[in-house]
Amino acid sequence: METTRHFVATVYAVSEGSVALHEHDKLDMWLPAGGHVDRDELPHEAALRETREELGMTVDLVAPREAIESETVRSIPQPQHFLLEDINVHENGEVGHQHVDFVFYGEAPSRDIDPGPGEQPAADWTWFTAADLADRRDEIPADVVEIGRRAIETVSGR
């Protein structure tokens, strides 16, 4: 069986020491904003677009950028993490689908969530402190807890 892979971008939006997560209606797990990178997008552009669509806000990405430039090269904002995620695992252990995830941190201008049309409603989103994440380890995936904690620490330390 061939494994299909898609590029996705994720943003851990942080405001006032908390990170925004929602219980994803299709995957039935707590996740930050994010989605597929369109063919004409760069990863950081997809991250910003997904955050605008899902949270109704523009975040300030906390993304390092190299100082490498030439006539044919320019540096773009780098994700904080670059992950390979198994999405569809069959009973025999074979992986049918994976996401190659560019994970960014973003400083949110407020906690006012106003999703765009067709997105999960604002009531589905919750702001979690690092302590909240630790308290809900049994419900929230371990990687989301760890990255959420790191995002809060990084953005709050700016």
Side-chain angles (χ1 to χ4, degrees):
M1 173 194 300
E2 182 179 337
T3 300
T4 60
R5 293 188 178 100
H6 292 153
F7 291 102
V8 297
T10 298
V11 178
Y12 283 77
V14 176
S15 177
E16 301 172 21
S18 297
V19 66
L21 302 176
H22 71 294
E23 196 162 14
H24 194 282
D25 57 357
K26 292 179 186 168
L27 299 176
D28 194 31
M29 63 175 59
W30 287 95
L31 295 172
H36 288 84
V37 177
D38 292 339
R39 287 179 51 120
D40 64 341
E41 285 181 310
L42 295 169
H44 68 284
E45 294 169 340
L48 292 169
R49 175 185 53 76
E50 288 289 346
T51 307
R52 280 191 306 273
E53 291 173 359
E54 294 185 18
L55 296 174
M57 66 177 69
T58 300
V59 297
D60 179 21
L61 291 182
V62 180
R65 187 187 294 236
E66 298 282 340
I68 299 172
E69 306 247 351
S70 74
E71 304 80 38
T72 58
V73 172
R74 74 180 186 277
S75 295
I76 61 174
Q78 298 174 16
Q80 295 287 337
H81 309 283
F82 194 50
L83 304 175
L84 183 62
E85 303 159 346
D86 295 338
I87 303 303
N88 182 13
V89 181
H90 300 281
E91 288 183 19
N92 65 4
E94 289 187 44
V95 178
H97 183 70
Q98 292 177 317
H99 284 171
V100 179
D101 196 352
F102 298 85
V103 181
F104 293 90
Y105 300 164
E107 185 171 3
S110 74
R111 288 192 180 192
D112 296 330
I113 295 175
D114 184 23
E119 299 294 338
Q120 284 189 243
D124 288 356
W125 288 88
T126 302
W127 290 95
F128 290 88
T129 65
D132 295 334
L133 292 170
D135 289 345
R136 309 253 316 252
R137 282 187 178 275
D138 56 329
E139 302 173 53
I140 302 172
D143 62 297
V144 175
V145 170
E146 178 61 23
I147 296 171
R149 184 192 62 74
R150 290 183 187 193
I152 292 166
E153 184 177 292
T154 299
V155 171
S156 298
R158 285 180 89 186

